[in-house]
């Protein structure tokens, strides 16, 4: 019995030393969003998403605010498609990648109107500024790291 247990322990140790394959999940390794708001309330948004593809894919879907206009991806004007939850989506065609996995960068640019507006408190009659900039929502991949910055009119 002792000999069999020693053989099993040795086999177990050998198995531990064998290389193991680890499967990564398709994910956004980083998403960086830069917003510049002008004095007239228009926002210019640039979002850079680094996506790690772990399996062949013919298309990826990216959520954008429903109010996004003049949308471009990697410098090319693209069409967005209406989607649930008051947002548009961009479908990135990856057929040219021919199933190649790895990390890819997508840069989206768009504008939004009236993100900065003046409102008045009914009780105090004081005016104040309200800024509404929809953040990334409904992303279908985990986001490992995200940063967001806003530049206001000066």
């Amino acid at each position: 019995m002792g000999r069999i247990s020693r053989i099993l322990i040795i086999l177990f140790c050998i198995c531990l030393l064998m290389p193991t394959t680890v499967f990564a999940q398709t994910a956004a390794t980083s998403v960086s969003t830069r917003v510049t708001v002008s004095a007239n309330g228009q926002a210019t948004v640039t979002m850079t998403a680094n996506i790690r593809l772990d399996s062949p894919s013919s298309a990826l879907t990216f959520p954008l605010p429903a109010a996004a206009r003049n949308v471009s991806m990697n410098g090319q004007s693209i069409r967005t498609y209406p989607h649930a939850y008051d947002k548009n989506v961009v479908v990135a065609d990856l057929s040219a990648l021919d199933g190649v996995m790895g990390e890819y960068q997508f840069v989206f640019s768009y504008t939004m109107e009236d993100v900065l507006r003046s409102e008045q408190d009914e009780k105090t009659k004081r005016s104040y500024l309200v800024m509404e900039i929809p953040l990334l929502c409904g992303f279908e991949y985990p986001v490992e790291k995200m940063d967001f910055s806003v530049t206001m009119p000066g």
Side-chain angles (χ1 to χ4, degrees):
M1 185 70 175
R3 185 173 180 197
I4 293 175
S5 62
R6 279 186 265 159
I7 292 173
L8 288 175
I9 290 172
I10 291 171
L11 287 174
F12 179 71
C13 290
I14 291 172
C15 287
L16 288 177
L17 295 175
M18 294 176 69
T20 306
T21 304
V22 177
F23 295 99
Q25 180 180 3
T26 294
T29 56
S30 68
V31 176
S32 176
T33 305
R34 304 282 176 254
V35 180
T36 302
V37 180
S38 65
N40 66 1
Q42 182 183 49
T44 302
V45 180
T46 302
M47 178 180 73
T48 304
N50 292 311
I51 306 294
R52 181 184 58 243
L53 297 177
D54 69 335
S55 61
S57 180
S58 60
L60 291 176
T61 303
F62 297 94
L64 297 177
R69 300 291 178 261
N70 308 313
V71 180
S72 70
M73 180 178 77
N74 295 340
Q76 300 293 317
S77 180
I78 56 170
R79 182 177 173 194
T80 61
Y81 300 90
H83 195 268
Y85 309 113
D86 193 35
K87 68 179 177 189
N88 286 334
V89 295
V90 171
V91 179
D93 179 14
L94 302 181
S95 58
L97 298 179
D98 198 26
V100 178
M101 297 173 284
E103 187 150 334
Y104 296 92
Q105 185 176 77
F106 299 91
V107 179
F108 299 94
S109 297
Y110 56 92
T111 58
M112 291 188 303
E113 300 295 326
D114 302 322
V115 298
L116 186 63
R117 66 183 183 281
S118 177
E119 291 189 359
Q120 188 174 36
D121 186 303
E122 296 298 323
K123 291 181 182 178
T124 65
K125 302 297 183 197
R126 289 186 179 177
S127 293
Y128 56 94
L129 288 176
V130 175
M131 183 173 65
E132 290 183 31
I133 300 174
L135 289 174
L136 181 68
C137 62
F139 211 70
E140 57 182 66
Y141 319 104
V143 177
E144 296 174 358
K145 178 181 140 187
M146 180 176 182
D147 65 273
F148 186 86
S149 70
V150 178
T151 303
M152 299 293 290

